[in-house]
Amino acid sequence: MTANETTPRRFDAVEIELLWRRLISLVDEAAAALVRTSFSTLVRESYDFSCVVTDATGQSLVQATESIPSFIGTLPETVKHFLRFFPEEALQPGDVLITNDLWLGTGHLPDITVAKPIFRNGKLVAFSASTAHAPDIGGKIRSPEPREVFEEGLQIPPLKLLRAGKPDETLLAMIRQNVRTPEQTLGDLWAQVVALDLMEERLLILMEQASLDHLRDLAAEIHSRCETAMRAAITALPDGIYRSELQTDGLMDKPITIRLSLTIAGDQLTADFSGTDAQVDRAINCALCYTYAMVMYGVKVCTSPNLPNNEGAWRPISVVAPPGCIVNPVFPASGGSRMLIGHYLPMLVFGCLGQVVPERVMAACGSPMWGMNQSGVNAAGKPYANMFFFNGGMGANMRGDGISCLSWPSNVSSTPIEISEHIAPIRVHHKRLRPGSGGPGRHRGGLGQEVLIESRSETPIAVSFLAERTIFPAFGIEGGEAGAPGVLKINGETVDPKRQYVLQRGDTVSLATPGGGGHGPASGRAEAAIGADRAAGYLG
């Protein structure tokens, strides 16, 4: 090894900023290519995907701007798992790795993760990686009902989708045979590969132009700066142990209690879920990989929201969860609807950090995400599957009202009505704001929405739902009141959102998504704001 290889390269402020902007540009370009070449509405309309570049050890370096919070945390960890199965000597240019393993991936099977090792001068220098929610993964249609992972669809262990650029036709045939939407599922998968190739191409050009034989020094510089900033943000918080707990709707009128103990000690923060309820024999278990990502997101929002998301920012934070609890389930637990637990976790972090920085947190949100899964056979006799998202209201904070109909903590977009009606045999009679659903307060919670859907299919449609806060509404803080709970009805009758149903032609589904919680006493709301709400029809 030469002296130049052992002496770390230094970057001045201008150079590091230019390189950083180039990195952001290349992952954003790859994300745009993924959207343009994808087949399903989950990627094209809802943006349920992520693109990242890691260093040669799987440490995250840069993410695409459109990436969703959970994948930002899980995707680099999956790359590290890939390296355990395929160390550097087992990799070659043109390889593409793939998995949807519950515990190595994102916590549920529909999310397919792929990664491509990037070589320069014969040496591994980085990985391009992507996770995207597939339109179908086989098994029972996605719902909370499955009791174990085997019921939830095709499991893909860490494998090579491509070997030196040559596709594994056996694996592709296996995927095609096991999903309801082979064209869409494989189309999205190849769109992900396009994104990997584009990240590789652009990164190698950058490295050539910047005379970078490897990324070790650049990654170390970026990670060091982010780690220093995160440690400073944690140090600014008072040391101590802060606790919070909440209940989710759970199953069959049996709420789930999640408990969090958050310890701040100097420049380190530990989130401990000891005392949380045990895993259940339904698909709402939240694998540790997803728990980790959601905790990281909650901490970062409260401490350093403008800091880039990469390995350096995560180093001062650790997560502890007893094996077998609902936020760290053990095999063969099911987890297809893991967001019905996982989306509560940032709010638990807020419950802890709100005790020391109340100005940085918001009231509870009307999401966890609401969605409707459907599958059936179309008029041509071909199976199909679709997933549509319907968002609730955001919680208010000390600076203003909550935003209406916005997904949080996942930033997936709602599917436009025109798209839904085009790809599925349904008619949307209305989709409108839900008056009176925002929690009252000095600042009002965001409104949910009301959606009425009619089946226009000549054949039965199986439907299942992602729906929470039908029992425990989004709570207010600092004297604010709770938002309205969600309501799900089929043919006018309230139903259990954790079950699957079959619709016949003419049957209707009515969704009323929850409103967000309010902030501060309602008596302190400005008369002008009340008048504006009344004029807009927000008060019900």
Side-chain angles (χ1 to χ4, degrees), residues 61-303:
L61 190 60
V62 64
Q63 60 159 79
T65 304
E66 297 291 349
S67 298
I68 67 174
S70 60
F71 295 166
I72 293 169
T74 61
L75 185 47
E77 297 304 305
T78 304
V79 175
K80 294 171 188 172
H81 288 304
F82 279 143
L83 279 166
R84 292 195 295 110
F85 288 87
F86 301 102
E88 181 176 350
E89 58 271 18
L91 297 171
Q92 56 186 321
D95 284 352
V96 172
L97 311 177
I98 183 172
T99 191
N100 71 341
D101 183 281
L102 217 69
W103 291 269
L104 308 181
T106 74
H108 75 174
L109 300 183
D111 292 337
I112 298 178
T113 297
V114 290
K116 184 175 188 180
I118 299 174
F119 292 84
R120 177 168 163 78
N121 299 325
K123 294 183 179 180
L124 179 67
V125 295
F127 283 88
S128 56
S130 170
T131 299
H133 189 134
D136 186 62
I137 202 64
K140 186 178 179 68
I141 183 175
R142 183 181 172 201
S143 77
E145 288 190 323
R147 295 174 177 270
E148 55 185 10
V149 67
F150 301 109
E151 300 177 42
E152 297 191 286
L154 178 65
Q155 298 181 67
I156 307 172
L159 296 171
K160 287 190 178 183
L161 175 64
L162 279 76
R163 292 178 180 272
K166 184 178 180 181
D168 185 329
E169 297 295 345
T170 300
L171 174 58
L172 290 170
M174 184 71 71
I175 296 174
R176 176 177 289 276
Q177 186 69 21
N178 278 276
V179 300
R180 299 174 179 87
T181 58
E183 290 81 10
Q184 288 186 45
T185 299
L186 291 178
D188 280 6
L189 183 57
W190 288 122
Q192 288 181 264
V193 174
V194 166
L196 301 186
D197 291 345
L198 187 54
M199 284 185 274
E200 175 189 39
E201 177 185 337
R202 296 294 190 261
L203 181 64
L204 291 176
I205 291 173
L206 183 154
M207 294 179 71
E208 177 68 25
Q209 293 176 345
S211 300
L212 296 170
D213 291 329
H214 55 75
L215 291 179
R216 289 193 301 271
D217 298 338
L218 178 60
E221 181 73 20
I222 292 172
H223 291 156
S224 175
R225 289 175 178 232
C226 290
E227 181 179 357
T228 298
M230 178 59 85
R231 291 192 183 280
I234 295 174
T235 299
L237 302 173
D239 283 0
I241 301 175
Y242 306 95
R243 295 180 173 86
S244 66
E245 69 175 64
L246 54 75
Q247 288 185 309
T248 76
D249 291 354
L251 299 164
M252 300 294 291
D253 298 324
K254 294 174 62 177
I256 300 294
T257 300
I258 314 172
R259 296 182 175 89
L260 175 62
S261 173
L262 196 149
T263 300
I264 299 172
D267 62 358
Q268 294 183 311
L269 184 151
T270 302
D272 189 339
F273 288 93
S274 296
T276 290
D277 283 356
Q279 68 186 67
V280 296
D281 63 346
R282 292 294 190 278
I284 63 171
N285 298 294
C286 181
L288 187 60
C289 54
Y290 198 83
T291 298
Y292 170 87
M294 288 289 94
V295 168
M296 297 298 175
Y297 174 69
V299 171
K300 191 168 179 298
V301 166
C302 284
T303 57

